[in-house]
Amino acid sequence: ANTASLGTLLQQFHIELPVPLPPVIEINAEISGGLEELASELVIVAKDEGVDLKATASIGDLLGAKKITGKVTGTIDSLSGLSKYAQMDLPSLGKLELSGDLASNDKALQLNNLDVKLDSDNINFEVTGKVADLLTVSGIEALAKADIRSFSEQNIAELTKLLKQFDVELPVEMLPQSVNLSTGIQGSLEQLSLVDIQGEVLDDGVKVGLDGAVENILVPSGVKANLSLDSDSIAKLSKYAGSELPQTDPLKVLVALTEDASKHPNFTLHAETGDANVDVNGALESLAVPEEIELGISVKAKSISNFNQLAQKELPDQGPLDLSAKLKMQLQKKNYALNDLKLLLDDQSALGNLAIILPESESQPTVINGKLDIPYLDLSFLTPKEQEVPAEGETAVESAPEEDETAEVAKTDNANSESAAASDRLFSDKPILHEKLLDYEIDLAVNAKKIKFDKSDLNDVQLVVKLKDGLLTADPITGTGGAGKINGVVRIDGRSEVPELKVDLNIVEVPMPNLGGKLDFDADLVGKGKSVAELMGSLNGQMLVVMRDGRIEGALVQKFGSGLLSFAKDKGYTELECGILRVDIKDGIANFDKRLAAQLTEVTWRGGGEIDLKTEKLGIGIAPKPRKGIPISISGELSSLMYVGGTLKHPQMQLNPKDVAVKYAKYSAYIATGGLSYLAEVVKDKFDANKDVCELILDGTVFEEMDKEDEKAEKKAQKAEEKAEKEKNK
């Protein structure tokens, strides 16, 4: 009631009370002089819970409220004691002390030499300055400094409570080791500006610097800021990113932000690590809640290998790299567009656009549209690196287990838990294929003039992928390579609960990736299933592969050892003169029994096997034999039978040259005597197989010597088995 009455009285003198009054105010005045010049010695004490303020003043002209000099002092037990005057909850951060000098002029009562200090549990805060008009709290000129040497639990709790009033969550896990901040303060309670902001944040291996200004901190506007970040490695920023980041070269980042009343806020970012540079510039609709963001992105590096540490893999030493794009984001609509994408890498280039619209509700799909034009792209870096060929006598192939060991392994496999079995699966068994196909709407097109893949060149490549209402098509799939061509269609129809797959792909005389030479490939497959695993386990159809005139580098097949391949001493490669594989798939069983054959410079292969796409288990037998004229030192390393077992995800190659016919009768059957002539008609119907070597393979003449040796081995094994049986019956 007193406050209200006093406010009414002061309004008659055009004075507004800017803040509530404390509950206790003591005024002592000693008045002297005549009516023409009345003077006073004044002492005012204001008290509240934990608040004790005192002002002393000498007034030379009491009636005119002029010629005032005096001093203000005070102590506040906790900053929270000022909460009602600041009209917000302030934290309990320790004792606050203040002092200042009072003086008047013809216009206002001034507060000069203001000094406010707060010292609390590793936090120092100080404000020095003046207020030109104390009664209206205007004409503020001050310097504020804050120094946080560390964050205690109490500090964190109090700061969290304070920031929540501004709808700001304090990321406790992201707090640095120390913060030092200073800023000039100017203005009034209506418009308060921060000028010459200077800040420094220090953390383990991280240093952040800040300078800038804010035109009005009460209604954030007119922001200008420059931020610099120096980090020993990107890994040092892991706690701020919320995930484990890789170790890299030192990182340096510079950010500039400018907000003008007549323009949208814009910013620039420059980052560099090693010899790689990233530049981003853009505009925001507003600083508060930006609905639309437009960014220009530029990435430059001397070589792609500059990103090895960031990618956590060995990238090729190829460059220079120049990547640019425009990114437009509509945050509330969840629309993202990457336009004017330009990639230049040495003499390679790619241009394109990509747009993504995220669903606003569960019933809507994620929409992805885009187009990529590739004048030239070299993907040779995806091929395996050259490694030393194993020295003579070495092998990277494990010996096959004995019969009892094999049985033991089988028992162990059967005892594995379902989770362990699931981890060994390549294809997901989750019945969500239908749902996943409905979750997306896609329209992507790739047009490539030339794509290089090691020794292979693909030209005029066209790939169009569309997905709408559960129907996924890759049509067309076209391209040319050398004198060959690619044509095909892949279709997954997920419009029903059980999606159906159809693949029709034909490749004729196209250079083989990694190997060079020519590749003929034909696939005609159908299947259906609610999951990828079920779909693969239901496949029916055929695949046919013919390879000619390739070259296999020793480094490419080092892990197979010399049990399957052999290389002449004077060179680290062997030539693949012709290879043929036919696979018949029925109800998920891929059968190529006696349908794998190849002729290499030093070695001839014959074999076959089975892949159960339901269980993903492999059972493949291959018999490599040295060709005539190969030195004994090399041919002696070749085993009589190679067995590839395990699963699609974890294949295992084993060999055991002894008693193969007895121990691996099943796999020997895959390599039984007899030619492959019944394949000839199929191959010639699909491809041109008039090469001499391919014809020799198809009519079986290249295996005549192997057939004779296999007959001897089988007779020997049969005699050994008969002898063992007789001994048993004695």
Side-chain angles (χ1 to χ4, degrees):
N2 292 341
T3 300
S5 299
L6 183 58
T8 302
L9 173 64
L10 292 176
Q11 283 178 359
Q12 300 177 57
F13 298 95
H14 305 289
I15 297 173
E16 294 284 344
L17 287 175
V19 293
L21 292 174
V24 176
I25 299 178
E26 298 177 359
I27 302 176
N28 293 286
E30 184 177 317
I31 302 172
S32 61
L35 292 177
E36 294 181 357
E37 190 170 328
L38 199 60
S40 176
E41 294 294 328
L42 188 64
V43 178
I44 302 176
V45 176
K47 293 185 178 181
D48 201 346
E49 185 178 353
V51 178
D52 191 353
L53 300 175
K54 180 179 181 181
T56 60
S58 295
I59 306 174
D61 183 357
L62 184 60
L63 297 180
K66 297 178 181 179
K67 301 179 182 178
I68 300 175
T69 59
K71 195 168 187 67
V72 175
T73 59
T75 59
I76 300 165
D77 293 343
S78 172
L79 189 61
S80 60
L82 297 178
S83 293
K84 71 178 181 182
Y85 307 107
Q87 298 180 353
M88 68 174 68
D89 284 336
L90 296 175
S92 300
L93 290 179
K95 190 173 183 180
L96 188 72
E97 297 180 348
L98 64 89
S99 65
D101 297 329
L102 295 172
S104 67
N105 56 26
D106 294 337
K107 297 180 179 179
L109 177 63
Q110 300 176 335
L111 177 61
N112 299 316
N113 300 323
L114 174 66
D115 188 8
V116 180
K117 292 182 179 179
L118 172 69
D119 192 353
S120 169
D121 191 18
N122 294 323
I123 295 180
N124 287 335
F125 178 75
E126 183 175 5
V127 177
T128 57
K130 64 180 182 179
V131 181
D133 191 337
L134 188 58
L135 296 179
T136 60
V137 193
S138 60
I140 299 172
E141 292 185 21
L143 175 65
K145 295 181 180 180
D147 183 14
I148 303 176
R149 295 181 292 277
S150 65
F151 290 90
S152 66
E153 290 185 9
Q154 181 184 355
N155 292 342
I156 291 173
E158 295 295 339
L159 289 173
T160 299
K161 183 173 67 174
L162 174 63
L163 291 175
K164 276 187 177 179
Q165 298 174 79
F166 299 95
D167 295 322
V168 176
E169 292 289 336
L170 182 67
V172 176
E173 68 283 354
M174 294 168 57
L175 290 175
Q177 292 176 348
S178 67
V179 177
N180 186 279
L181 182 67
S182 68
T183 180
I185 305 173
Q186 296 178 350
S188 64
L189 293 182
E190 295 179 355
Q191 179 169 336
L192 197 62
S193 301
L194 301 183
V195 297
D196 192 25
I197 301 173
Q198 300 291 327
E200 183 179 75
V201 176
L202 297 177
D203 208 349
D204 178 27
V206 178
K207 178 180 179 181
V208 178
L210 170 68
D211 69 81
V214 181
E215 191 174 296
N216 189 359
I217 189 64
L218 302 176
V219 182
S221 60
V223 177
K224 294 182 180 180
N226 295 300
L227 181 143
S228 65
L229 180 147
D230 290 276
S231 177
D232 294 346
S233 166
I234 290 179
K236 294 292 186 180
L237 303 177
S238 295
K239 77 175 185 180
Y240 304 105
S243 61
E244 197 65 31
L245 299 177
Q247 291 287 344
T248 66
D249 290 331
L251 171 70
K252 185 176 182 65
V253 179
L254 299 173
V255 179
L257 173 65
T258 304
E259 182 197 32
D260 191 298
S262 61
K263 300 178 182 178
H264 288 308
N266 61 80
F267 71 94
T268 62
L269 178 148
H270 174 79
E272 55 186 61
T273 177
D275 288 323
N277 296 275
V278 177
D279 287 281
V280 179
N281 62 78
L284 310 176
E285 189 178 25
S286 71
L287 279 181
V289 183
E291 161 59 17
E292 190 169 296
I293 301 174
E294 294 184 11
L295 305 176
I297 302 171
S298 171
V299 180
K300 295 185 178 182
K302 290 183 178 179
S303 169
I304 298 182
S305 60
N306 293 142
F307 297 98
N308 281 352
Q309 293 174 312
L310 188 61
Q312 295 185 290
K313 63 189 299 185
E314 286 293 323
L315 298 174
D317 187 9
Q318 191 175 6
L321 169 69
D322 190 344
L323 172 67
S324 63
K326 292 181 179 178
L327 177 62
K328 185 174 182 178
M329 298 183 287
Q330 294 178 307
L331 301 181
Q332 289 189 358
K333 295 181 179 179
K334 298 182 180 180
N335 290 2
Y336 306 88
L338 192 66
N339 299 316
D340 299 336
L341 172 66
K342 295 179 182 179
L343 169 65
L344 299 175
L345 179 62
D346 200 2
D347 56 347
Q348 305 169 67
S349 59
L351 312 169
N353 302 288
L354 180 67
I356 300 175
I357 303 175
L358 299 180
E360 296 183 8
S361 67
E362 291 185 1
S363 61
Q364 294 177 318
T366 298
V367 179
I368 303 174
N369 299 314
K371 183 178 180 182
L372 187 63
D373 293 311
I374 304 173
Y376 173 60
L377 189 62
D378 188 346
L379 300 179
S380 299
F381 66 89
L382 296 176
T383 61
K385 286 189 171 183
E386 287 194 10
Q387 302 175 17
E388 292 184 5
V389 180
E392 185 174 343
E394 291 183 358
T395 178
V397 185
E398 299 176 1
S399 296
E402 297 294 326
E403 284 180 311
D404 54 341
E405 293 175 338
T406 306
E408 192 63 34
V409 170
K411 291 178 183 178
T412 304
D413 287 343
N414 292 332
N416 284 342
S417 65
E418 290 184 7
S419 60
S423 67
D424 198 42
R425 298 294 297 246
L426 184 65
F427 307 127
S428 172
D429 60 357
K430 294 182 179 179
I432 56 174
L433 189 55
H434 169 69
E435 297 173 18
K436 288 297 181 182
L437 289 170
L438 293 174
D439 284 344
Y440 294 90
E441 187 174 305
I442 299 173
D443 190 349
L444 290 174
V446 177
N447 295 290
K449 192 69 177 174
K450 182 177 181 180
I451 296 179
K452 182 176 177 61
F453 196 93
D454 196 41
K455 299 174 182 178
S456 308
D457 286 344
L458 284 178
N459 303 309
D460 301 322
V461 176
Q462 185 179 10
L463 173 64
V464 177
V465 179
K466 292 187 177 183
L467 172 59
K468 188 173 177 63
D469 299 328
L471 177 60
L472 172 67
T473 60
D475 182 14
I477 304 172
T478 63
T480 62
K485 60 182 180 180
I486 301 173
N487 281 292
V489 174
V490 176
R491 172 189 174 104
I492 302 179
D493 192 343
R495 291 175 292 186
S496 62
E497 286 293 326
V498 183
E500 297 183 5
L501 168 72
K502 181 175 178 56
V503 177
D504 187 356
L505 184 62
N506 183 259
I507 299 173
V508 179
E509 292 191 347
V510 170
M512 290 181 288
N514 297 331
L515 306 180
K518 295 177 182 178
L519 170 69
D520 294 337
F521 177 83
D522 187 82
D524 189 358
L525 304 170
V526 294
K528 59 171 59 178
K530 293 183 179 180
S531 66
V532 175
E534 188 178 327
L535 190 68
M536 297 301 293
S538 71
L539 280 185
N540 286 281
Q542 282 187 345
M543 290 193 302
L544 183 63
V545 182
V546 177
M547 299 176 289
R548 294 189 286 270
D549 304 326
R551 175 167 158 165
I552 303 176
E553 302 289 344
L556 185 66
V557 291
Q558 182 188 24
K559 66 179 180 180
F560 294 119
S562 57
L564 186 58
L565 289 165
S566 183
F567 303 94
K569 288 185 175 180
D570 58 346
K571 58 183 181 180
Y573 66 89
T574 187
E575 292 179 0
L576 174 63
E577 297 175 6
C578 181
I580 296 175
L581 170 67
R582 176 187 169 180
V583 183
D584 291 311
I585 306 175
K586 185 176 182 180
D587 297 331
I589 305 297
N591 176 31
F592 46 102
D593 184 5
K594 296 179 285 186
R595 297 170 198 173
L596 168 63
Q599 176 89 308
L600 294 89
T601 308
E602 290 86 17
V603 185
T604 299
W605 292 355
R606 186 173 61 187
E610 180 180 280
I611 301 175
D612 188 336
L613 296 174
K614 293 186 178 74
T615 62
E616 300 187 16
K617 290 185 178 180
L618 306 176
I620 304 169
I622 301 173
K625 293 286 185 180
R627 294 176 65 181
K628 289 183 177 180
I630 303 301
I632 295 176
S633 60
I634 292 178
S635 62
E637 297 172 6
L638 297 172
S639 67
S640 58
L641 175 70
M642 297 293 300
Y643 161 55
V644 182
T647 65
L648 286 171
K649 189 173 182 181
H650 298 113
Q652 296 176 349
M653 182 168 289
Q654 300 166 338
L655 65 87
N656 191 327
K658 296 180 180 179
D659 302 328
V660 169
V662 176
K663 290 187 177 182
Y664 297 108
K666 178 180 179 181
Y667 304 107
S668 296
Y670 292 144
I671 314 166
T673 57
L676 299 171
S677 56
Y678 66 94
L679 274 178
E681 186 177 343
V682 178
V683 171
K684 288 181 178 179
D685 282 346
K686 295 285 187 180
F687 310 121
D688 177 16
N690 59 4
K691 294 279 289 186
D692 291 341
V693 175
C694 288
E695 286 187 349
L696 291 174
I697 286 178
L698 289 170
D699 66 23
T701 56
V702 298
F703 300 111
E704 289 177 353
E705 186 178 344
M706 293 178 67
D707 292 342
K708 293 177 181 177
E709 291 184 12
D710 287 343
E711 286 180 19
K712 291 180 181 178
E714 286 184 12
K715 289 179 179 178
K716 184 178 180 181
Q718 187 176 359
K719 287 182 179 179
E721 190 174 1
E722 290 174 355
K723 184 177 179 181
E725 186 67 24
K726 288 179 180 179
E727 291 291 331
K728 182 179 179 181
N729 294 330
K730 281 185 178 179

